[in-house]
Amino acid sequence: KRAAPLADEAHLKRATNYEERQNYDSAVSEYKAIEGLIGAVFSVRRDISFSDVSIKKDSASSKAAEVHYNRGQLLLKEAEGTRDDNKYKQAAHEFRKSQEFILNYKDSLALYEKARKGAVIRVAVLQFGDAGYSKYGPVVTEQVISAAMKRNPEFLDFVTREHLYQIEKEKEPFCLQISEFNR
């Protein structure tokens, strides 16, 4: 009965300090900790009163989403100017982070996708050649794709053999035009 209000007060004080320093991510975490504390205590006792932090948490969440959104916009603009894959990735992470605080915040979902596409690496893994080991080719191919997917699939697009053939067909007329131009 004595510990719960002290814990509530400690979290509230930390949340306020974080907000004063404009560290809204940490402030939101503290408000969520208070909500978790309330839920845990109320499951056992209902005679203890707590602060209602829902409005403060919503406000801090809104500010956190805005901070990440603005960082994402700056990084995306810089990435578009320099074509820097890492800047695209950082921008994508910032837009995704804004979504964690407020779902569908402004146009962060569309901007996340734009930044993600700028950082995507397209990978084609063709079946490994015959060389007398044809039964192992599909297995090795699958293991390579599986290992790559475990690392960071967010910025990987796998291209199928059929897609490569389609690209080759689309490229043929363009290559003919260039070769004729070079004559």
Side-chain angles (χ1 to χ4, degrees), residues 113-170:
E113 194 54 38
K114 181 178 182 180
R116 189 193 75 77
K117 283 182 181 177
V120 159
I121 297 171
R122 284 177 185 74
V123 179
V125 180
L126 302 176
Q127 189 165 318
F128 284 84
D130 193 12
Y133 302 102
S134 61
K135 66 181 180 180
Y136 301 112
V139 174
V140 173
T141 301
E142 185 61 35
Q143 287 177 343
V144 168
I145 292 171
S146 180
M149 290 299 290
K150 287 179 185 174
R151 293 205 60 218
N152 192 356
E154 181 179 16
F155 299 106
L156 288 177
D157 275 347
F158 286 95
V159 179
T160 63
R161 181 181 296 257
E162 292 77 28
H163 190 115
L164 285 176
Y165 290 141
Q166 181 183 356
I167 291 170
E168 281 294 318
K169 284 182 182 178
E170 290 173 5

Side-chain angles (χ1 to χ4, degrees), residues 107-119:
D107 59 346
S108 61
L109 190 57
L111 292 174
Y112 161 79
E113 194 54 38
K114 181 178 182 180
R116 189 193 75 77
K117 283 182 181 177

Side-chain angles (χ1 to χ4, degrees), residues 60-74:
S61 294
S62 179
K63 290 174 184 174
E66 183 68 16
V67 165
H68 288 288
Y69 180 83
N70 289 338
R71 280 187 203 148
Q73 283 189 313
L74 290 172

Side-chain angles (χ1 to χ4, degrees), residues 168-181:
E168 281 294 318
K169 284 182 182 178
E170 290 173 5
K171 191 174 77 169
E172 282 175 13
F174 179 71
C175 291
L176 289 174
Q177 290 174 358
I178 290 175
S179 65
E180 289 173 14
F181 179 77

